[in-house]
Tab-separated table of all heavy atoms in Angstrom:
chain	number	residue	atom	x	y	z
A	4	ALA	N	-33.863	-6.119	-10.220
A	4	ALA	CA	-34.641	-5.335	-11.175
A	4	ALA	C	-35.881	-6.090	-11.651
A	4	ALA	O	-36.869	-5.479	-12.036
A	4	ALA	CB	-33.781	-4.951	-12.381
A	10	GLY	N	-45.315	-17.097	-5.372
A	10	GLY	CA	-45.982	-17.690	-4.221
A	10	GLY	C	-46.213	-19.181	-4.324
A	10	GLY	O	-47.050	-19.720	-3.620
A	13	ARG	N	-42.697	-22.209	-2.198
A	13	ARG	CA	-41.855	-21.362	-1.347
A	13	ARG	C	-40.992	-22.206	-0.420
A	13	ARG	O	-41.458	-23.102	0.243
A	13	ARG	CB	-42.738	-20.401	-0.546
A	13	ARG	CG	-42.078	-19.519	0.463
A	13	ARG	CD	-41.402	-18.251	-0.031
A	13	ARG	NE	-41.987	-17.530	-1.106
A	13	ARG	CZ	-42.598	-16.347	-0.997
A	13	ARG	NH1	-42.741	-15.783	0.177
A	13	ARG	NH2	-43.056	-15.746	-2.061
A	21	GLN	N	-25.158	-13.815	12.714
A	21	GLN	CA	-23.856	-13.156	12.763
A	21	GLN	C	-23.888	-12.232	13.974
A	21	GLN	O	-24.922	-11.637	14.263
A	21	GLN	CB	-23.599	-12.308	11.509
A	21	GLN	CG	-23.516	-13.088	10.222
A	21	GLN	CD	-23.209	-12.185	9.040
A	21	GLN	OE1	-22.368	-11.298	9.118
A	21	GLN	NE2	-23.907	-12.413	7.938
A	24	GLU	N	-19.168	-7.814	18.652
A	24	GLU	CA	-19.078	-7.104	19.919
A	24	GLU	C	-18.643	-5.680	19.603
A	24	GLU	O	-17.673	-5.471	18.874
A	24	GLU	CB	-18.068	-7.773	20.848
A	24	GLU	CG	-18.449	-9.188	21.251
A	24	GLU	CD	-19.713	-9.275	22.098
A	24	GLU	OE1	-19.994	-8.328	22.863
A	24	GLU	OE2	-20.427	-10.287	21.991
A	36	ILE	N	-27.073	2.783	13.543
A	36	ILE	CA	-27.911	2.030	12.603
A	36	ILE	C	-29.039	2.912	12.068
A	36	ILE	O	-29.336	2.907	10.875
A	36	ILE	CB	-28.505	0.774	13.279
A	36	ILE	CG1	-27.385	-0.185	13.686
A	36	ILE	CG2	-29.495	0.079	12.347
A	36	ILE	CD1	-27.846	-1.313	14.596
A	39	PRO	N	-28.947	6.808	9.057
A	39	PRO	CA	-29.240	7.027	7.630
A	39	PRO	C	-30.732	6.976	7.287
A	39	PRO	O	-31.143	7.443	6.232
A	39	PRO	CB	-28.484	5.918	6.910
A	39	PRO	CG	-28.140	4.924	7.943
A	39	PRO	CD	-28.143	5.621	9.269
A	44	ALA	N	-27.942	11.196	6.665
A	44	ALA	CA	-26.934	10.206	6.301
A	44	ALA	C	-25.663	10.902	5.838
A	44	ALA	O	-25.706	12.008	5.295
A	44	ALA	CB	-27.461	9.304	5.188
A	49	ARG	N	-25.489	8.015	1.721
A	49	ARG	CA	-26.528	8.484	0.788
A	49	ARG	C	-26.414	7.786	-0.555
A	49	ARG	O	-27.390	7.665	-1.282
A	49	ARG	CB	-26.454	9.998	0.618
A	49	ARG	CG	-27.090	10.765	1.753
A	49	ARG	CD	-27.303	12.222	1.410
A	49	ARG	NE	-26.092	12.905	1.030
A	49	ARG	CZ	-25.326	13.645	1.843
A	49	ARG	NH1	-25.652	13.771	3.105
A	49	ARG	NH2	-24.244	14.237	1.391
A	54	VAL	N	-33.992	6.964	1.419
A	54	VAL	CA	-35.269	6.836	2.118
A	54	VAL	C	-36.378	7.324	1.191
A	54	VAL	O	-36.359	8.459	0.725
A	54	VAL	CB	-35.260	7.624	3.441
A	54	VAL	CG1	-36.630	7.593	4.093
A	54	VAL	CG2	-34.210	7.039	4.389
A	61	LEU	N	-40.802	3.855	11.344
A	61	LEU	CA	-40.816	2.959	10.193
A	61	LEU	C	-40.479	3.753	8.943
A	61	LEU	O	-41.011	4.846	8.739
A	61	LEU	CB	-42.203	2.314	10.036
A	61	LEU	CG	-42.374	1.312	8.903
A	61	LEU	CD1	-41.649	0.010	9.228
A	61	LEU	CD2	-43.850	1.030	8.659
A	70	VAL	N	-22.641	-5.444	-7.008
A	70	VAL	CA	-22.520	-6.884	-7.251
A	70	VAL	C	-21.724	-7.078	-8.532
A	70	VAL	O	-21.449	-6.121	-9.252
A	70	VAL	CB	-23.902	-7.589	-7.350
A	70	VAL	CG1	-24.630	-7.546	-6.016
A	70	VAL	CG2	-24.762	-7.005	-8.444
A	103	VAL	N	-37.557	-11.719	2.331
A	103	VAL	CA	-36.471	-11.680	3.301
A	103	VAL	C	-36.972	-10.916	4.514
A	103	VAL	O	-37.572	-9.847	4.374
A	103	VAL	CB	-35.190	-10.999	2.762
A	103	VAL	CG1	-34.127	-10.894	3.858
A	103	VAL	CG2	-34.628	-11.726	1.558
A	104	THR	N	-36.768	-11.485	5.688
A	104	THR	CA	-36.983	-10.770	6.941
A	104	THR	C	-35.680	-10.846	7.718
A	104	THR	O	-34.997	-11.883	7.707
A	104	THR	CB	-38.129	-11.365	7.784
A	104	THR	OG1	-37.847	-12.741	8.033
A	104	THR	CG2	-39.464	-11.228	7.082
A	105	GLU	N	-35.318	-9.732	8.382
A	105	GLU	CA	-34.059	-9.665	9.106
A	105	GLU	C	-34.257	-8.876	10.389
A	105	GLU	O	-35.079	-7.968	10.437
A	105	GLU	CB	-32.991	-8.947	8.282
A	105	GLU	CG	-32.764	-9.532	6.907
A	105	GLU	CD	-31.982	-8.602	6.014
A	105	GLU	OE1	-32.554	-7.610	5.544
A	105	GLU	OE2	-30.788	-8.874	5.808
A	107	PHE	N	-31.841	-7.011	13.539
A	107	PHE	CA	-30.624	-6.652	14.248
A	107	PHE	C	-31.056	-6.473	15.704
A	107	PHE	O	-31.871	-5.601	16.005
A	107	PHE	CB	-30.056	-5.340	13.746
A	107	PHE	CG	-29.322	-5.407	12.440
A	107	PHE	CD1	-29.680	-6.294	11.440
A	107	PHE	CD2	-28.260	-4.552	12.196
A	107	PHE	CE1	-29.010	-6.331	10.234
A	107	PHE	CE2	-27.578	-4.584	10.983
A	107	PHE	CZ	-27.950	-5.482	10.010
A	127	ASP	N	-39.191	-18.967	-4.354
A	127	ASP	CA	-40.292	-19.732	-4.927
A	127	ASP	C	-39.769	-20.756	-5.936
A	127	ASP	O	-38.607	-20.743	-6.312
A	127	ASP	CB	-41.278	-18.793	-5.625
A	127	ASP	CG	-42.038	-17.925	-4.637
A	127	ASP	OD1	-42.039	-18.237	-3.430
A	127	ASP	OD2	-42.630	-16.923	-5.075
A	130	ARG	N	-37.134	-26.518	-6.201
A	130	ARG	CA	-35.671	-26.695	-6.320
A	130	ARG	C	-34.993	-25.553	-7.087
A	130	ARG	O	-33.875	-25.189	-6.782
A	130	ARG	CB	-35.349	-28.019	-6.988
A	130	ARG	CG	-35.546	-29.201	-6.084
A	130	ARG	CD	-34.843	-30.425	-6.690
A	130	ARG	NE	-35.149	-31.615	-5.957
A	130	ARG	CZ	-34.502	-32.009	-4.869
A	130	ARG	NH1	-33.519	-31.285	-4.402
A	130	ARG	NH2	-34.845	-33.121	-4.259
A	133	GLN	N	-34.679	-22.903	-4.617
A	133	GLN	CA	-33.674	-23.290	-3.630
A	133	GLN	C	-32.266	-23.054	-4.193
A	133	GLN	O	-31.381	-22.559	-3.497
A	133	GLN	CB	-33.863	-24.759	-3.257
A	133	GLN	CG	-32.983	-25.223	-2.139
A	133	GLN	CD	-33.305	-26.655	-1.726
A	133	GLN	OE1	-34.144	-27.327	-2.324
A	133	GLN	NE2	-32.638	-27.117	-0.697
A	139	VAL	N	-27.934	-16.417	-3.866
A	139	VAL	CA	-28.185	-15.096	-3.291
A	139	VAL	C	-27.734	-15.003	-1.833
A	139	VAL	O	-27.131	-14.006	-1.425
A	139	VAL	CB	-29.682	-14.731	-3.418
A	139	VAL	CG1	-30.012	-13.453	-2.662
A	139	VAL	CG2	-30.082	-14.599	-4.887
A	150	SER	N	-21.817	-4.482	6.601
A	150	SER	CA	-22.598	-3.494	7.355
A	150	SER	C	-22.300	-3.575	8.853
A	150	SER	O	-22.147	-2.546	9.514
A	150	SER	CB	-24.097	-3.686	7.121
A	150	SER	OG	-24.425	-3.403	5.789
A	152	ALA	N	-19.577	-4.605	10.284
A	152	ALA	CA	-18.238	-4.068	10.520
A	152	ALA	C	-18.255	-2.542	10.484
A	152	ALA	O	-17.608	-1.881	11.312
A	152	ALA	CB	-17.255	-4.624	9.488
A	164	SER	N	-14.550	9.275	20.796
A	164	SER	CA	-14.458	10.745	20.689
A	164	SER	C	-15.201	11.458	21.810
A	164	SER	O	-14.925	12.611	22.104
A	164	SER	CB	-14.976	11.215	19.333
A	164	SER	OG	-16.368	11.050	19.247
Side-chain angles (χ1 to χ4, degrees):
R13 175 81 36 109
Q21 296 182 43
E24 297 295 329
I36 296 169
R49 281 194 303 264
V54 175
L61 182 72
V70 294
V103 176
T104 57
E105 305 165 285
F107 283 33
D127 291 344
R130 285 196 188 275
Q133 186 175 4
V139 172
S150 294
S164 70

